[in-house]
Amino acid sequence: MVKQDLYEKSPVRLFDAATDGGLKAGELGLVTSKKGLGKTSVLVQFGMDTLLQDKQLIHVTFDLHSSNVIYWYDTIFTEISKKKNVGNADELKSEVVSKRTILSFSLDNFTLSKVVNTLNALKAGGIAVSGIVMDGIDFTKVTEGDINAVAQYAAAEKVTVWASATAEGGKLADSVPPAFEKYFAAVVHLNQSEGVSLDVLKIHDKKDVATGIKLDTKTSLLTKN
């Protein structure tokens, strides 16, 4: 019941409300921004949303120090739990993150096909994945076939996949290569202007959707103006 309450108070509900339900099962979403604006914190909020539903999450990172990933989940859970004043927060956090698996890949020999192969191996081992986040995809090092492989996996397994990539500009063509855009049901960009705003460049068949969502400078949570 407490997890359900935290899920209902999750900052992701703001995103869902502003985008007619947000990302659906079997779809890919993308978060972009310049370096250091908060892509990881947003990805972790989407990932935490899966965990609060008592579902299995895979977090793919290209930072070989998984302690950095763990820190973000600890931080985001703590901030969300404050909204509910959870008494046994540490115990509940341990229960929630027990369904999180961190996969670390080196960029030196990384391919998205290796990620998909690992996900299929986890399925064969009995891990029923519901959500995936991939932190830090370099579009200069992947092909359309790579993105298509992830999209086919997501659709076949009914898994939501959120990824992040560095992008300087705030237009859709700046955030994702035009040839790749069709694979992403959602593309959001973090824009630094009077704080950090979350600009929805694409959500299904809609473009440039105004949400009024920003990142809270103190908590790194999604918040409404």
Side-chain angles (χ1 to χ4, degrees):
M1 183 61 71
V2 176
K3 280 187 283 188
Q4 179 62 31
D5 289 343
L6 291 180
Y7 172 79
E8 292 174 357
K9 291 183 178 297
S10 165
V12 178
R13 301 287 75 72
L14 296 175
F15 179 81
D16 289 349
T19 56
D20 297 325
L23 202 64
K24 307 294 193 300
E27 295 180 337
L28 273 62
L30 179 66
V31 180
T32 68
S33 77
K34 296 179 180 179
K35 290 184 177 179
L37 285 192
K39 293 187 298 295
T40 298
S41 69
V42 173
L43 279 187
V44 169
Q45 287 172 72
F46 286 128
M48 185 63 72
D49 214 52
T50 297
L51 295 173
L52 289 174
Q53 295 177 77
D54 212 24
K55 297 178 179 179
Q56 186 74 41
L57 174 77
I58 304 295
H59 187 112
V60 179
T61 179
F62 310 109
D63 178 350
L64 296 182
H65 301 288
S66 59
S67 59
N68 293 336
V69 176
I70 293 171
Y71 163 81
W72 272 111
Y73 280 92
D74 287 350
T75 299
I76 295 301
F77 179 86
T78 297
E79 294 300 336
I80 293 175
S81 64
K82 285 179 181 179
K83 295 176 177 291
K84 187 62 182 174
N85 195 25
V86 177
N88 58 338
D90 288 341
E91 181 181 338
L92 182 60
K93 180 181 69 177
S94 297
E95 180 183 338
V96 167
V97 300
S98 67
K99 291 187 177 294
R100 177 200 63 201
T101 300
I102 300 172
L103 301 179
S104 297
F105 290 87
S106 169
L107 284 173
D108 294 334
N109 58 8
F110 159 77
T111 63
L112 280 176
S113 60
K114 287 184 179 180
V115 175
V116 173
N117 289 340
T118 302
L119 294 171
N120 284 326
L122 290 173
K123 177 186 176 183
I127 298 179
V129 178
S130 293
I132 299 168
V133 292
M134 297 185 182
D135 196 358
I137 290 179
D138 185 346
F139 282 125
T140 67
K141 296 182 179 179
V142 300
T143 66
E144 183 176 353
D146 293 326
I147 303 296
N148 184 41
V150 175
Q152 288 185 341
Y153 169 86
E157 301 300 327
K158 302 296 186 220
V159 171
T160 56
V161 180
W162 278 100
S164 72
T166 298
E168 295 297 318
K171 296 181 180 179
L172 186 58
D174 298 325
S175 289
V176 58
F180 297 174
E181 181 199 325
K182 62 185 177 183
Y183 298 102
F184 291 95
V187 179
V188 302
H189 182 74
L190 301 182
N191 179 40
Q192 192 168 35
S193 176
E194 297 183 359
V196 178
S197 62
L198 187 146
D199 298 338
V200 177
L201 307 181
K202 172 185 178 180
I203 181 71
H204 300 121
D205 60 347
K206 297 180 181 179
K207 303 287 181 68
D208 298 320
V209 177
T211 66
I213 296 174
K214 290 191 172 185
L215 283 189
D216 187 289
T217 55
K218 295 182 179 180
T219 67
S220 294
L221 297 182
L222 299 174
T223 187
K224 197 79 170 180
N225 286 344

